[in-house]
Coordinates of all heavy atoms in Angstrom, one line a residue:
M1 N 127.4 127.0 82.8 CA 126.7 127.5 84.0 C 126.9 129.0 84.0 O 128.0 129.5 83.8 CB 127.2 126.9 85.3 CG 126.6 127.4 86.5 SD 127.1 126.6 88.0 CE 126.6 125.0 87.8
R2 N 125.8 129.7 84.3 CA 125.9 131.2 84.4 C 126.1 131.6 85.9 O 125.3 131.2 86.7 CB 124.6 131.8 83.9 CG 124.2 131.4 82.5 CD 122.8 131.7 82.2 NE 121.9 131.1 83.1 CZ 120.6 131.5 83.4 NH1 120.1 132.6 82.8 NH2 119.9 130.9 84.3
V3 N 127.2 132.3 86.1 CA 127.6 132.6 87.5 C 127.7 134.1 87.7 O 127.9 134.9 86.8 CB 128.9 131.9 87.9 CG1 128.7 130.4 87.7 CG2 130.0 132.4 87.1
W4 N 127.6 134.4 89.0 CA 127.9 135.8 89.5 C 129.1 135.6 90.5 O 129.2 134.7 91.3 CB 126.7 136.3 90.3 CG 126.9 137.8 90.6 CD1 127.6 138.4 91.6 CD2 126.3 138.8 89.9 NE1 127.5 139.7 91.6 CE2 126.7 140.0 90.5 CE3 125.4 138.9 88.8 CZ2 126.2 141.3 90.1 CZ3 125.0 140.1 88.3 CH2 125.4 141.3 89.0
L5 N 130.1 136.5 90.4 CA 131.3 136.5 91.2 C 131.1 137.6 92.3 O 130.8 138.7 92.0 CB 132.5 136.8 90.4 CG 132.7 135.9 89.2 CD1 134.1 136.3 88.5 CD2 132.7 134.4 89.5
Y6 N 131.2 137.2 93.6 CA 131.1 138.1 94.7 C 132.3 138.1 95.6 O 132.7 137.0 96.0 CB 129.8 137.8 95.5 CG 129.6 138.7 96.7 CD1 129.3 140.0 96.5 CD2 129.8 138.2 97.9 CE1 129.1 140.9 97.6 CE2 129.7 139.0 99.0 CZ 129.3 140.4 98.9 OH 129.2 141.2 99.9
S7 N 132.7 139.2 96.0 CA 133.8 139.3 96.9 C 133.5 140.4 98.0 O 132.7 141.4 97.7 CB 135.2 139.6 96.3 OG 135.1 140.7 95.4
R8 N 134.0 140.3 99.1 CA 133.8 141.2 100.2 C 135.0 141.3 101.1 O 135.7 140.3 101.3 CB 132.6 140.8 101.1 CG 132.3 141.8 102.2 CD 131.2 141.3 103.1 NE 131.6 140.1 103.8 CZ 132.3 140.1 104.9 NH1 132.7 141.2 105.5 NH2 132.6 139.0 105.5
L9 N 135.3 142.6 101.5 CA 136.4 142.8 102.4 C 135.9 143.6 103.6 O 135.3 144.7 103.4 CB 137.5 143.6 101.7 CG 138.9 143.7 102.5 CD1 139.5 142.4 102.7 CD2 139.8 144.7 101.8
S10 N 136.1 143.1 104.8 CA 135.6 143.8 105.9 C 136.7 144.7 106.5 O 137.8 144.6 106.1 CB 135.0 142.9 107.0 OG 136.1 142.2 107.6
R11 N 136.3 145.4 107.6 CA 137.3 146.3 108.2 C 138.4 145.6 108.8 O 139.5 146.1 108.9 CB 136.5 147.1 109.3 CG 135.5 148.1 108.7 CD 134.6 148.7 109.8 NE 133.5 149.4 109.2 CZ 132.4 148.9 108.9 NH1 132.2 147.6 109.1 NH2 131.4 149.6 108.3
D12 N 138.2 144.4 109.3 CA 139.3 143.7 110.0 C 140.1 142.7 109.1 O 140.9 141.9 109.6 CB 138.7 143.0 111.2 CG 137.7 141.9 110.9 OD1 137.2 141.9 109.8 OD2 137.3 141.2 111.8
E13 N 139.9 142.7 107.8 CA 140.6 141.8 106.9 C 141.4 142.6 105.9 O 141.1 142.5 104.7 CB 139.5 140.9 106.1 CG 138.7 140.0 106.9 CD 137.7 139.3 106.0 OE1 136.9 140.0 105.4 OE2 137.8 138.1 106.0
D14 N 142.4 143.3 106.4 CA 143.1 144.2 105.5 C 144.4 143.5 104.9 O 145.3 144.2 104.6 CB 143.4 145.4 106.3 CG 143.7 146.6 105.4 OD1 143.3 146.5 104.2 OD2 144.2 147.6 105.9
S15 N 144.4 142.2 104.8 CA 145.7 141.6 104.3 C 145.6 141.5 102.8 O 144.6 141.5 102.2 CB 145.8 140.2 104.9 OG 144.9 139.3 104.3
E16 N 146.8 141.5 102.2 CA 147.0 141.4 100.8 C 146.3 140.1 100.3 O 145.7 140.1 99.2 CB 148.4 141.4 100.4 CG 148.7 141.4 98.9 CD 148.1 142.7 98.2 OE1 148.0 143.7 98.8 OE2 147.7 142.5 97.0
L17 N 146.4 139.0 101.0 CA 145.9 137.7 100.6 C 144.4 137.8 100.4 O 143.8 137.2 99.5 CB 146.2 136.6 101.7 CG 145.7 135.2 101.4 CD1 146.4 134.7 100.1 CD2 146.0 134.3 102.5
N18 N 143.7 138.6 101.3 CA 142.2 138.7 101.2 C 141.8 139.9 100.5 O 140.6 140.3 100.5 CB 141.6 138.7 102.6 CG 141.6 137.3 103.2 OD1 141.4 136.3 102.5 ND2 141.9 137.2 104.4
S19 N 142.7 140.7 99.8 CA 142.3 141.9 99.1 C 141.2 141.6 98.1 O 141.1 140.5 97.6 CB 143.5 142.5 98.5 OG 143.9 141.8 97.3
L20 N 140.4 142.6 97.8 CA 139.4 142.5 96.8 C 140.0 142.0 95.4 O 139.4 141.2 94.8 CB 138.6 143.7 96.6 CG 137.6 144.1 97.8 CD1 136.9 145.4 97.5 CD2 136.6 143.0 98.0
T21 N 141.1 142.6 95.1 CA 141.7 142.3 93.8 C 142.1 140.9 93.8 O 141.9 140.1 92.8 CB 142.9 143.2 93.6 OG1 142.5 144.6 93.5 CG2 143.6 142.9 92.2
N22 N 142.7 140.4 94.9 CA 143.1 139.0 94.9 C 141.9 138.0 94.9 O 141.9 137.1 94.1 CB 143.9 138.7 96.2 CG 144.5 137.3 96.2 OD1 145.2 136.9 95.3 ND2 144.2 136.6 97.3
Q23 N 140.9 138.4 95.6 CA 139.7 137.5 95.6 C 139.1 137.5 94.2 O 138.7 136.4 93.7 CB 138.6 138.1 96.5 CG 138.9 137.9 98.0 CD 137.8 138.5 98.9 OE1 136.7 138.2 98.7 NE2 138.2 139.3 99.8
Q24 N 139.0 138.7 93.5 CA 138.4 138.7 92.2 C 139.2 137.9 91.2 O 138.7 137.2 90.3 CB 138.3 140.2 91.8 CG 137.2 140.9 92.6 CD 137.3 142.4 92.5 OE1 138.3 143.0 92.1 NE2 136.2 143.1 92.8
N25 N 140.5 138.0 91.3 CA 141.4 137.2 90.4 C 141.2 135.7 90.6 O 141.1 134.9 89.6 CB 142.9 137.5 90.6 CG 143.2 138.9 90.1 OD1 142.5 139.5 89.2 ND2 144.3 139.5 90.6
I26 N 141.1 135.3 91.9 CA 140.8 133.9 92.2 C 139.5 133.4 91.6 O 139.4 132.3 91.0 CB 140.9 133.6 93.7 CG1 142.3 133.7 94.2 CG2 140.3 132.2 94.1 CD1 142.4 133.8 95.7
L27 N 138.4 134.3 91.8 CA 137.1 133.9 91.3 C 137.1 133.8 89.7 O 136.5 132.9 89.2 CB 136.1 134.9 91.8 CG 135.9 135.0 93.3 CD1 134.9 136.1 93.6 CD2 135.5 133.7 93.9
R28 N 137.7 134.8 89.1 CA 137.7 134.8 87.6 C 138.5 133.6 87.1 O 138.0 132.9 86.1 CB 138.4 136.1 87.1 CG 137.5 137.3 87.3 CD 138.2 138.5 86.8 NE 137.5 139.7 87.2 CZ 138.0 140.8 87.8 NH1 139.3 140.8 88.1 NH2 137.3 141.8 88.2
E29 N 139.6 133.2 87.7 CA 140.3 132.0 87.3 C 139.5 130.8 87.5 O 139.5 129.9 86.6 CB 141.6 131.9 88.1 CG 142.5 130.8 87.7 CD 143.8 130.7 88.4 OE1 144.2 131.7 89.1 OE2 144.5 129.6 88.3
Y30 N 138.8 130.7 88.6 CA 138.0 129.5 88.9 C 136.9 129.4 87.8 O 136.6 128.3 87.2 CB 137.3 129.6 90.3 CG 136.4 128.4 90.5 CD1 137.0 127.2 91.1 CD2 135.1 128.5 90.2 CE1 136.1 126.2 91.3 CE2 134.3 127.4 90.5 CZ 134.8 126.2 91.0 OH 134.0 125.1 91.2
A31 N 136.2 130.5 87.5 CA 135.2 130.5 86.5 C 135.7 130.1 85.1 O 135.1 129.3 84.5 CB 134.5 131.9 86.4
T32 N 136.8 130.6 84.8 CA 137.4 130.3 83.5 C 137.8 128.8 83.4 O 137.5 128.1 82.5 CB 138.7 131.1 83.2 OG1 138.3 132.5 83.2 CG2 139.4 130.7 81.9
N33 N 138.4 128.3 84.5 CA 138.8 126.9 84.5 C 137.7 125.9 84.6 O 137.8 124.7 84.3 CB 139.8 126.6 85.7 CG 141.1 127.3 85.5 OD1 141.5 127.7 84.4 ND2 141.8 127.5 86.7
N34 N 136.5 126.4 85.0 CA 135.3 125.5 85.1 C 134.3 125.8 84.0 O 133.1 125.4 84.2 CB 134.8 125.6 86.5 CG 135.7 124.9 87.5 OD1 135.7 123.7 87.6 ND2 136.6 125.7 88.1
N35 N 134.7 126.5 83.0 CA 133.8 126.8 81.8 C 132.5 127.5 82.3 O 131.4 127.2 81.7 CB 133.5 125.5 81.0 CG 134.7 124.9 80.5 OD1 135.6 125.6 79.9 ND2 134.9 123.6 80.6
C36 N 132.6 128.4 83.2 CA 131.4 129.2 83.6 C 131.3 130.5 82.8 O 132.3 131.0 82.5 CB 131.6 129.5 85.1 SG 131.6 128.1 86.2
T37 N 130.1 130.9 82.6 CA 129.9 132.2 81.9 C 129.6 133.2 83.0 O 128.6 133.1 83.8 CB 128.7 132.1 81.0 OG1 128.9 131.1 80.0 CG2 128.4 133.4 80.3
V38 N 130.5 134.2 83.2 CA 130.3 135.2 84.2 C 129.3 136.2 83.7 O 129.5 136.9 82.7 CB 131.7 135.8 84.5 CG1 131.4 137.0 85.6 CG2 132.6 134.8 85.1
I39 N 128.2 136.3 84.4 CA 127.1 137.2 84.1 C 127.3 138.5 84.7 O 127.0 139.6 84.2 CB 125.7 136.6 84.5 CG1 125.5 135.3 83.8 CG2 124.6 137.6 84.3 CD1 125.4 135.4 82.3
G40 N 127.9 138.5 85.9 CA 128.2 139.8 86.6 C 129.1 139.6 87.8 O 129.4 138.4 88.2
E41 N 129.6 140.7 88.3 CA 130.5 140.7 89.5 C 130.1 141.8 90.4 O 129.7 142.9 89.9 CB 132.0 140.9 89.0 CG 132.5 139.9 88.2 CD 134.0 140.2 87.8 OE1 134.8 140.6 88.7 OE2 134.4 140.0 86.7
S42 N 130.3 141.6 91.7 CA 130.1 142.7 92.6 C 131.0 142.5 93.8 O 131.4 141.4 94.1 CB 128.6 142.8 93.0 OG 128.1 141.6 93.7
A43 N 131.2 143.6 94.5 CA 132.1 143.5 95.7 C 131.6 144.5 96.7 O 131.0 145.6 96.3 CB 133.5 143.8 95.3
D44 N 131.8 144.2 97.9 CA 131.5 145.2 99.0 C 132.8 145.4 99.8 O 133.4 144.4 100.4 CB 130.4 144.6 99.9 CG 129.1 144.6 99.3 OD1 128.7 145.7 98.8 OD2 128.4 143.6 99.3
D45 N 133.3 146.6 99.7 CA 134.6 146.9 100.3 C 134.4 147.6 101.6 O 133.6 148.6 101.7 CB 135.4 147.8 99.3 CG 136.8 148.1 99.8 OD1 137.3 147.4 100.7 OD2 137.5 148.9 99.2
N46 N 135.1 147.1 102.6 CA 135.0 147.7 104.0 C 133.6 147.6 104.5 O 133.2 148.6 105.2 CB 135.6 149.1 104.0 CG 136.1 149.5 105.3 OD1 136.3 148.7 106.2 ND2 136.2 150.8 105.5
I47 N 132.9 146.5 104.3 CA 131.6 146.3 104.7 C 131.5 145.1 105.6 O 132.0 144.0 105.2 CB 130.6 146.2 103.5 CG1 130.7 147.3 102.5 CG2 129.2 145.9 104.0 CD1 130.1 148.6 103.1
S48 N 130.8 145.2 106.7 CA 130.6 144.1 107.6 C 129.7 143.1 106.9 O 128.8 143.4 106.2 CB 130.0 144.5 108.9 OG 129.6 143.4 109.7
G49 N 129.9 141.8 107.2 CA 129.1 140.8 106.7 C 128.0 140.4 107.7 O 127.3 139.4 107.5
M50 N 127.8 141.2 108.7 CA 126.8 140.9 109.7 C 125.4 141.2 109.3 O 124.4 140.9 110.0 CB 127.2 141.6 111.0 CG 128.5 141.2 111.6 SD 128.7 139.4 111.8 CE 127.6 139.2 113.2
H51 N 125.2 141.9 108.2 CA 123.9 142.2 107.7 C 123.9 142.0 106.2 O 125.0 141.9 105.5 CB 123.4 143.6 108.0 CG 124.3 144.7 107.4 ND1 124.2 145.1 106.1 CD2 125.3 145.3 107.9 CE1 125.1 146.0 105.9 NE2 125.8 146.2 107.0
F52 N 122.8 141.8 105.5 CA 122.7 141.6 104.1 C 122.3 142.8 103.3 O 122.0 142.7 102.1 CB 121.8 140.4 103.8 CG 122.4 139.1 104.3 CD1 122.1 138.5 105.5 CD2 123.3 138.4 103.5 CE1 122.6 137.3 105.9 CE2 123.9 137.2 103.8 CZ 123.5 136.7 105.1
N53 N 122.2 143.9 103.9 CA 121.8 145.1 103.2 C 123.1 145.8 102.7 O 123.6 146.7 103.2 CB 121.0 146.1 104.1 CG 120.6 147.3 103.3 OD1 120.5 147.3 102.1 ND2 120.2 148.4 104.0
R54 N 123.6 145.1 101.6 CA 124.9 145.6 101.0 C 124.7 145.7 99.5 O 123.9 144.9 98.9 CB 126.0 144.5 101.2 CG 126.3 144.3 102.6 CD 127.4 143.2 102.8 NE 126.7 142.0 103.4 CZ 127.2 140.8 103.3 NH1 128.3 140.5 102.6 NH2 126.6 139.8 103.8
E55 N 125.3 146.7 98.9 CA 125.1 147.0 97.5 C 125.4 145.7 96.6 O 124.7 145.4 95.7 CB 125.9 148.2 97.0 CG 125.7 148.5 95.6 CD 126.5 149.7 95.2 OE1 126.8 150.6 96.0 OE2 126.9 149.8 94.0
G56 N 126.6 145.1 96.9 CA 127.0 143.9 96.1 C 126.0 142.8 96.2 O 125.7 142.1 95.2
I57 N 125.5 142.5 97.4 CA 124.5 141.5 97.6 C 123.2 141.8 96.9 O 122.6 141.0 96.3 CB 124.3 141.2 99.1 CG1 125.5 140.6 99.8 CG2 123.0 140.4 99.4 CD1 125.8 139.1 99.4
N58 N 122.8 143.1 97.0 CA 121.6 143.5 96.4 C 121.6 143.3 94.8 O 120.6 142.9 94.2 CB 121.2 145.0 96.7 CG 120.9 145.1 98.1 OD1 120.4 144.2 98.8 ND2 121.0 146.3 98.6
R59 N 122.8 143.4 94.3 CA 122.9 143.2 92.8 C 122.7 141.7 92.5 O 122.2 141.3 91.5 CB 124.3 143.7 92.3 CG 124.4 145.2 92.4 CD 125.7 145.7 91.9 NE 125.8 145.4 90.4 CZ 127.0 145.3 89.9 NH1 128.1 145.6 90.5 NH2 127.1 145.0 88.6
I60 N 123.2 140.8 93.4 CA 123.0 139.4 93.3 C 121.5 139.1 93.4 O 121.0 138.3 92.6 CB 123.8 138.6 94.3 CG1 125.3 138.8 94.1 CG2 123.4 137.1 94.3 CD1 126.2 138.2 95.2
Y61 N 120.8 139.7 94.4 CA 119.4 139.4 94.5 C 118.6 139.8 93.2 O 117.8 139.0 92.8 CB 118.8 140.3 95.6 CG 119.2 140.0 97.0 CD1 119.1 140.9 98.0 CD2 119.5 138.7 97.4 CE1 119.5 140.7 99.3 CE2 119.9 138.4 98.7 CZ 119.8 139.4 99.7 OH 120.2 139.1 101.0
A62 N 119.0 140.9 92.6 CA 118.4 141.3 91.3 C 118.6 140.2 90.3 O 117.7 139.9 89.5 CB 118.9 142.6 90.9
A63 N 119.8 139.7 90.2 CA 120.1 138.7 89.1 C 119.4 137.4 89.4 O 118.9 136.8 88.4 CB 121.6 138.5 89.1
V64 N 119.2 137.1 90.6 CA 118.5 135.9 91.0 C 117.0 136.0 90.6 O 116.4 135.2 90.0 CB 118.6 135.5 92.5 CG1 117.6 134.4 92.9 CG2 120.0 135.1 92.8
E65 N 116.4 137.2 90.9 CA 115.0 137.4 90.6 C 114.8 137.5 89.1 O 113.7 137.1 88.6 CB 114.6 138.7 91.3 CG 114.4 138.6 92.8 CD 113.7 139.8 93.4 OE1 113.1 140.6 92.7 OE2 113.7 139.8 94.6
E66 N 115.8 137.9 88.3 CA 115.7 137.9 86.9 C 115.9 136.5 86.3 O 115.8 136.4 85.1 CB 116.7 138.9 86.3 CG 116.4 140.4 86.6 CD 117.5 141.3 86.3 OE1 118.6 140.8 85.8 OE2 117.4 142.5 86.5
K67 N 116.4 135.6 87.1 CA 116.7 134.2 86.7 C 117.8 134.3 85.7 O 117.9 133.4 84.7 CB 115.5 133.5 86.2 CG 114.4 133.3 87.2 CD 113.3 132.5 86.6 CE 112.2 132.2 87.6 NZ 111.7 132.6 88.7
S68 N 118.8 135.2 85.8 CA 119.9 135.3 84.9 C 121.1 134.6 85.3 O 122.1 134.5 84.6 CB 120.2 136.8 84.6 OG 120.6 137.4 85.8
I69 N 121.1 134.0 86.6 CA 122.3 133.3 87.0 C 121.9 131.9 87.6 O 120.7 131.8 88.1 CB 123.1 134.1 88.1 CG1 122.3 134.4 89.3 CG2 123.7 135.3 87.4 CD1 123.1 135.0 90.4
D70 N 122.8 131.0 87.6 CA 122.6 129.7 88.2 C 123.3 129.5 89.5 O 122.9 128.6 90.3 CB 123.1 128.6 87.2 CG 122.4 128.7 85.8 OD1 121.2 128.7 85.8 OD2 123.2 128.8 84.8
A71 N 124.4 130.3 89.7 CA 125.2 130.1 90.9 C 125.9 131.4 91.2 O 126.1 132.2 90.4 CB 126.2 129.0 90.8
V72 N 126.3 131.5 92.5 CA 127.2 132.6 93.0 C 128.5 132.0 93.4 O 128.5 131.0 94.2 CB 126.5 133.4 94.1 CG1 127.5 134.5 94.7 CG2 125.2 134.0 93.7
I73 N 129.6 132.5 93.0 CA 130.9 132.0 93.4 C 131.6 133.0 94.3 O 131.6 134.2 94.0 CB 131.8 131.7 92.1 CG1 131.1 130.7 91.2 CG2 133.2 131.2 92.6 CD1 131.9 130.5 89.9
V74 N 132.0 132.5 95.4 CA 132.8 133.3 96.4 C 134.1 132.6 96.8 O 134.2 131.4 96.6 CB 131.9 133.6 97.7 CG1 130.7 134.4 97.4 CG2 131.6 132.3 98.4
K75 N 135.0 133.4 97.2 CA 136.3 132.8 97.6 C 136.1 131.8 98.8 O 136.6 130.7 98.9 CB 137.3 133.8 98.0 CG 138.7 133.3 98.4 CD 139.7 134.4 98.6 CE 140.9 133.9 99.3 NZ 140.8 133.9 100.8
D76 N 135.3 132.3 99.8 CA 134.9 131.4 100.9 C 133.5 132.0 101.4 O 133.2 133.1 101.2 CB 135.9 131.3 102.0 CG 136.3 132.6 102.6 OD1 135.4 133.4 103.1 OD2 137.5 133.0 102.6
Y77 N 132.8 131.1 102.1 CA 131.5 131.5 102.5 C 131.5 132.7 103.5 O 130.5 133.4 103.7 CB 130.7 130.3 103.2 CG 131.4 129.8 104.4 CD1 131.1 130.3 105.6 CD2 132.2 128.7 104.3 CE1 131.7 129.8 106.8 CE2 132.8 128.1 105.4 CZ 132.5 128.7 106.7 OH 133.1 128.2 107.8
C78 N 132.6 133.0 104.1 CA 132.7 134.2 105.0 C 132.4 135.5 104.3 O 131.9 136.4 104.9 CB 134.0 134.2 105.7 SG 134.3 132.8 106.8
A79 N 132.6 135.5 103.0 CA 132.3 136.7 102.2 C 130.8 137.0 102.3 O 130.4 138.2 102.3 CB 132.7 136.5 100.7
I80 N 130.0 136.0 102.4 CA 128.5 136.2 102.4 C 128.0 136.4 103.8 O 127.3 137.3 104.1 CB 127.8 135.0 101.7 CG1 128.2 135.0 100.2 CG2 126.3 135.1 101.9 CD1 127.2 134.5 99.3
I81 N 128.4 135.5 104.7 CA 127.8 135.5 106.1 C 128.6 136.2 107.1 O 128.1 136.4 108.2 CB 127.5 134.0 106.6 CG1 128.8 133.2 106.7 CG2 126.5 133.4 105.7 CD1 128.6 131.9 107.4
G82 N 129.8 136.7 106.8 CA 130.4 137.6 107.7 C 131.1 136.9 108.9 O 131.4 137.6 109.9
L83 N 131.5 135.7 108.8 CA 132.3 135.0 109.9 C 133.7 135.3 109.6 O 134.2 135.4 108.5 CB 132.0 133.5 109.9 CG 130.6 133.1 110.3 CD1 130.6 131.6 110.2 CD2 130.3 133.5 111.7
N84 N 134.5 135.3 110.6 CA 135.9 135.4 110.5 C 136.6 134.3 111.2 O 136.0 133.4 111.8 CB 136.5 136.8 110.9 CG 136.2 137.0 112.4 OD1 136.2 136.1 113.2 ND2 136.0 138.3 112.8
Q85 N 137.9 134.2 111.2 CA 138.6 133.1 111.8 C 138.3 132.9 113.2 O 138.1 131.8 113.7 CB 140.1 133.2 111.6 CG 140.9 132.0 112.0 CD 140.6 130.7 111.3 OE1 140.4 130.8 110.1 NE2 140.5 129.6 112.0
K86 N 138.2 134.0 113.9 CA 137.9 134.0 115.4 C 136.5 133.4 115.6 O 136.3 132.6 116.5 CB 137.9 135.4 116.0 CG 137.8 135.4 117.5 CD 137.7 136.8 118.0 CE 139.1 137.3 118.4 NZ 139.1 138.6 119.0
D87 N 135.5 133.7 114.8 CA 134.2 133.2 114.9 C 134.2 131.7 114.6 O 133.6 130.9 115.3 CB 133.2 133.8 113.8 CG 133.0 135.3 114.1 OD1 132.9 135.6 115.3 OD2 132.8 136.0 113.1
L88 N 135.0 131.2 113.6 CA 135.1 129.8 113.3 C 135.7 129.0 114.4 O 135.3 127.9 114.7 CB 135.8 129.6 112.0 CG 135.1 130.2 110.8 CD1 136.1 130.0 109.6 CD2 133.8 129.5 110.5
E89 N 136.7 129.6 115.1 CA 137.4 128.9 116.2 C 136.4 128.8 117.4 O 136.5 127.8 118.1 CB 138.6 129.7 116.6 CG 139.7 129.6 115.6 CD 140.9 130.6 115.8 OE1 140.8 131.3 116.8 OE2 141.8 130.6 115.0
N90 N 135.5 129.7 117.6 CA 134.6 129.6 118.7 C 133.5 128.7 118.4 O 132.8 128.2 119.1 CB 134.0 131.0 119.0 CG 135.1 131.9 119.6 OD1 136.0 131.4 120.3 ND2 135.0 133.2 119.4

């Protein structure tokens, strides 16, 4: 499977556990363990997930339009849609 790895860190998620480096390491390990071919990676640092006009997401759009990937792998869906723990609790 051809995959794209995407990570995002917003202004209010400054913990080491959610750092971009940690997210990227988790994603790479997952891809390796599941025999995925990583076509590309992108990240949006200190960017809100409340909108989709982000450089990292735009790179994914381009890969999808080119039909060069089969899936996008994220640490959790909050990386894409911008929810945080407080949102989920509500």
Side-chain angles (χ1 to χ4, degrees):
M1 179 177 296
R2 302 167 306 156
V3 300
W4 191 280
L5 307 181
Y6 176 72
S7 53
R8 181 184 64 83
L9 189 66
S10 71
R11 292 171 190 88
D12 60 348
E13 297 177 301
D14 203 15
S15 72
E16 183 64 29
L17 181 63
N18 284 322
S19 73
L20 286 178
T21 301
N22 187 54
Q23 289 180 50
Q24 291 163 340
N25 289 337
I26 290 168
L27 299 177
R28 288 179 190 130
E29 182 177 347
Y30 179 88
T32 298
N33 291 341
N34 289 277
N35 299 315
C36 297
T37 301
V38 177
I39 301 301
E41 297 182 40
S42 60
D44 289 308
D45 189 11
N46 203 19
I47 304 290
S48 169
M50 299 306 289
H51 61 83
F52 288 98
N53 186 18
R54 298 177 248 160
E55 183 179 330
I57 289 288
N58 291 338
R59 292 181 62 202
I60 294 170
Y61 290 156
V64 168
E65 287 191 16
E66 294 169 359
K67 297 182 175 25
S68 61
I69 61 173
D70 302 306
V72 176
I73 301 175
V74 296
K75 180 177 168 273
D76 59 56
Y77 62 86
C78 296
I80 295 208
I81 62 173
L83 295 175
N84 59 35
Q85 186 62 38
K86 187 185 270 186
D87 294 325
L88 294 174
E89 290 170 358
N90 291 332

